[in-house]
Amino acid sequence: MENNKKGFIDVLVGLQWGDEGKGKNIDELLLSGVYSGVARFQGGANAGHTLKYGDMQFIGHIVPSGCLQKDVELYIGNGVVVDIVSLVKEIKELKDLGFDVVSRLYISDRAKLVSYLHPFLDQAEEFSRSKEGGKIGTTSRGIGPAYGDSRARRGLLLGDIIRADFEQKFEGLSRMHMSFLEMYKEKYGFEIIPEKIEEARVKWLEALAEVKKLQICDLSFLVQKRLKEGKNILAEGAQGIMLDIDYGDYPNVTSSNTLPANICLGLGVSHTVIRNIYGVIKAYTTKVGGGDFPARIKDEAVEKMFQERGHEFGATTGRARMCGWLDLFAIRYAIGLSGVNKIFINKADICPTDKVKVVTGYKIGDKVLQEFPLRLNEVTDVVTEDMPGWGEANYGVNDKEKISPALVSYLNYIKDKLNEFEVDIVNVGTGPDREHSFDWDL
Ligand code: GDP
Ligand code: IMO
Ligand code: MG
């Protein structure tokens, strides 16, 4: 008899500027046993997703966040720009932690290869921007140049690496990259250090030899096969909606579409298989890199308190993250774009002040904006509302009945402010560990 069961895909994305705690929530969602695989569909090793339970901690940049759960398949979709040096390093780190992921990791043959010169081009482009205006403050992982090559139709795909003409294509592209670097040197004085380039090339070629042994396949076919088998898959967004290349504060964005809409393109599935869209926020906001940040906490001492208590230092670059109040104006924009129906709120244990502010609107001069602005540097002020703070008493609490009344009011307030969207706040995080959370609106 024909099997009519059909699987579905749930998507999880960050609704702010990244680092909302997506990795932790993916890991938690997988514990339900509903999903047989986790898929990255955009971005690259600019992501840093922290997984933690007990003494175990792992930060994944390119390996999907199902890596610490032994039966879960791991997929890297065609929409991803793959840093093979990071990939090989993470596979080894996981092996040392007791997780052999090679047999359950599948990479699309259409995924884009980050070449050893892409990070140098990323740095060179940033260097030129610093001379001519503002830096974006990228992660220096070569994301922009790799997506640029892909769009210019000269990039390399994972599926190329086993083909006879790979070396020729790779050397041709490398020569072109070197000529770009020479241009940055001539025009802006960007320093090219040949030893560093050679070192990167050697490391990259070593990683390439390892990657040839991995399962590089028609991932769209495999994912569709799994769905036909009745298996469900969780798609793991990287970055956040506010960093989307089309809808973020261009050019202070990443180079991929972070919206859930991109899952169809970045994994090779139809929109009809998508079921839930989970959106993750923090109880406040953080942002790393350049560009304007209207919700930023103005009092430096208070911002520092959030930074320190919340350990707001980048999982990829170690940079201090700027801290802001919860920005409901941006979150409403992000929900509208992404169609989120379920929300996770993390870091509800971090509240170092007696009072917190919530940003409910942006202003340009006297005008309160209805629409999200094209350019955040034109925003002159924000509209805020005050709420009582709740201290850090809620750290590690995993029972909804045991949280402080001020946090209950805060959660109800958020729900109320988002009521037009029919979203449920399903889970609230009170610490970095997979056990540190409670269900809320279920
Ligand atoms: P991602 O990029 O969205 O996966 O998030 P990151 O891993 O870059 O940053 C989130 C940080 O917050 C990590 O250090 C997590 O361990 C930590 N974290 C996640 N949820 C919570 C929470 O509810 N409370 C606290 N205190 N830390 C959390
Ligand atoms: P996860 O998945 C926070 C930011 C960079 C920079 C801009 C462009 O851990 O949430 P890029 O290297 O992508 O060209 O940098 O985007 N950025 C992130 N910020 N979390 C991330 O990922 C980020 N990935 C990129 O800081 O401002
Ligand atoms: Mg991160």
Side-chain angles (χ1 to χ4, degrees):
M1 207 171 82
E2 205 190 328
N3 181 358
N4 284 324
K5 277 190 307 174
K6 255 192 167 175
F8 55 81
I9 297 185
D10 282 349
V11 192
L12 181 138
V13 292
L15 289 176
Q16 296 164 317
W17 278 265
D19 303 327
E20 298 88 349
K22 298 175 292 293
K24 175 187 130 171
N25 294 140
I26 291 273
D27 185 51
E28 284 172 336
L29 277 170
L30 289 171
L31 292 174
S32 65
V34 169
Y35 310 99
S36 70
V38 182
R40 282 281 306 271
F41 59 96
Q42 48 71 231
N46 47 350
H49 295 179
T50 312
L51 307 176
K52 196 165 161 40
Y53 65 96
D55 293 337
M56 176 87 71
Q57 174 163 308
F58 177 73
I59 299 176
H61 301 287
I62 193 79
V63 172
S65 294
C67 50
L68 299 189
Q69 304 203 23
K70 290 190 166 153
D71 296 328
V72 172
E73 288 190 336
L74 307 170
Y75 308 124
I76 298 180
N78 60 282
V80 176
V81 286
V82 182
D83 178 334
I84 56 172
V85 177
S86 293
L87 179 64
V88 169
K89 185 162 169 268
E90 281 174 43
I91 290 173
K92 168 145 194 335
E93 276 171 25
L94 284 161
K95 194 164 184 203
D96 293 344
L97 287 172
F99 297 88
D100 198 345
V101 296
V102 170
S103 61
R104 56 191 171 101
L105 175 68
Y106 299 88
I107 308 169
S108 166
D109 56 5
R110 292 171 190 270
K112 284 85 190 143
L113 203 49
V114 175
S115 158
Y116 73 102
L117 289 170
H118 281 143
F120 290 96
L121 287 167
D122 194 347
Q123 287 158 29
E125 177 67 17
E126 284 283 82
F127 187 79
S128 73
R129 282 177 190 272
S130 69
K131 301 262 158 172
E132 291 192 339
K135 280 181 18 168
I136 291 171
T138 70
T139 58
S140 299
R141 297 295 182 112
I143 304 299
Y147 275 114
D149 275 352
S150 165
R151 288 289 156 150
R153 295 161 293 181
R154 59 172 172 248
L156 298 168
L157 305 179
L158 262 288
D160 287 332
I161 66 175
I162 49 155
R163 289 183 158 74
D165 58 356
F166 177 71
E167 205 176 317
Q168 189 198 346
K169 280 188 178 169
F170 166 66
E171 295 301 347
L173 187 64
S174 299
R175 276 195 296 278
M176 182 179 268
H177 286 165
M178 280 311 298
S179 68
F180 291 162
L181 286 176
E182 292 294 341
M183 182 277 289
Y184 283 110
K185 183 179 169 186
E186 257 169 53
K187 191 156 180 227
Y188 301 99
F190 177 72
E191 195 185 1
I192 301 175
I193 304 173
E195 297 75 34
K196 281 206 165 169
I197 289 185
E198 184 51 27
E199 193 189 324
R201 182 180 161 96
V202 170
K203 265 196 188 164
W204 193 88
L205 289 171
E206 278 168 12
L208 186 71
E210 293 300 312
V211 171
K212 282 185 182 161
K213 300 178 204 159
L214 301 177
Q215 304 177 86
I216 297 171
C217 62
D218 179 345
L219 192 72
S220 161
F221 180 83
L222 177 68
V223 165
Q224 291 183 39
K225 181 164 176 271
R226 291 289 181 263
L227 295 171
K228 278 185 207 140
E229 290 164 359
K231 304 219 167 98
N232 309 318
I233 291 166
L234 192 52
E236 173 179 6
Q239 291 76 57
I241 299 300
M242 302 310 294
L243 288 170
D244 183 276
I245 185 145
D246 283 298
Y247 291 95
D249 179 33
Y250 191 89
N252 299 301
V253 291
T254 191
S255 292
S256 66
N257 283 110
T258 56
L259 292 180
N262 192 23
I263 194 233
C264 301
L265 301 172
L267 205 52
V269 292
S270 139
H271 69 280
T272 54
V273 299
I274 295 171
R275 194 186 65 166
N276 288 304
I277 302 190
Y278 293 95
V280 186
I281 61 175
K282 281 184 202 184
Y284 49 99
T285 316
T286 58
K287 180 177 187 322
V288 58
D292 291 76
F293 183 25
R296 187 168 186 179
I297 298 170
K298 290 191 178 110
D299 183 329
E300 272 181 43
V302 174
E303 181 184 27
K304 209 161 183 325
M305 278 159 77
F306 273 90
Q307 218 167 52
E308 281 171 4
R309 304 278 176 84
H311 301 290
E312 295 298 355
F313 299 92
T316 299
T317 58
R319 292 177 294 177
R321 297 171 182 150
M322 295 180 272
C323 295
W325 303 114
L326 181 71
D327 184 345
L328 285 176
F329 189 59
I331 288 171
R332 289 160 60 84
Y333 175 64
I335 294 176
L337 289 166
S338 56
V340 158
N341 63 331
K342 292 178 190 289
I343 289 189
F344 282 86
I345 302 183
N346 285 319
K347 297 218 159 174
D349 52 312
I350 309 295
C351 184
T353 46
D354 297 341
K355 242 188 348 193
V356 291
K357 289 188 186 296
V358 177
V359 172
T360 55
Y362 288 3
K363 283 169 91 172
I364 295 182
D366 291 338
K367 193 171 155 225
V368 178
L369 304 185
Q370 295 295 310
E371 295 158 15
F372 201 82
L374 174 67
R375 294 199 175 138
L376 290 183
N377 66 4
E378 291 171 358
V379 174
T380 50
D381 205 355
V382 289
V383 182
T384 59
E385 288 178 12
D386 287 344
M387 293 289 293
W390 54 91
E392 289 165 68
N394 298 302
Y395 178 78
V397 174
N398 51 16
D399 177 352
K400 138 182 198 180
E401 306 302 327
K402 296 201 175 134
I403 60 170
S404 46
L407 179 55
V408 173
S409 311
Y410 193 70
L411 297 173
N412 285 332
Y413 169 86
I414 296 172
K415 173 84 197 256
D416 193 46
K417 290 281 180 188
L418 301 178
N419 65 1
E420 80 194 73
F421 293 110
E422 293 182 21
V423 290
D424 289 326
I425 297 170
V426 289
N427 185 275
V428 180
T430 54
D433 198 284
R434 17 161 120 128
E435 308 280 315
H436 293 160
S437 67
F438 56 87
D439 291 339
W440 182 250
D441 240 1
L442 291 177

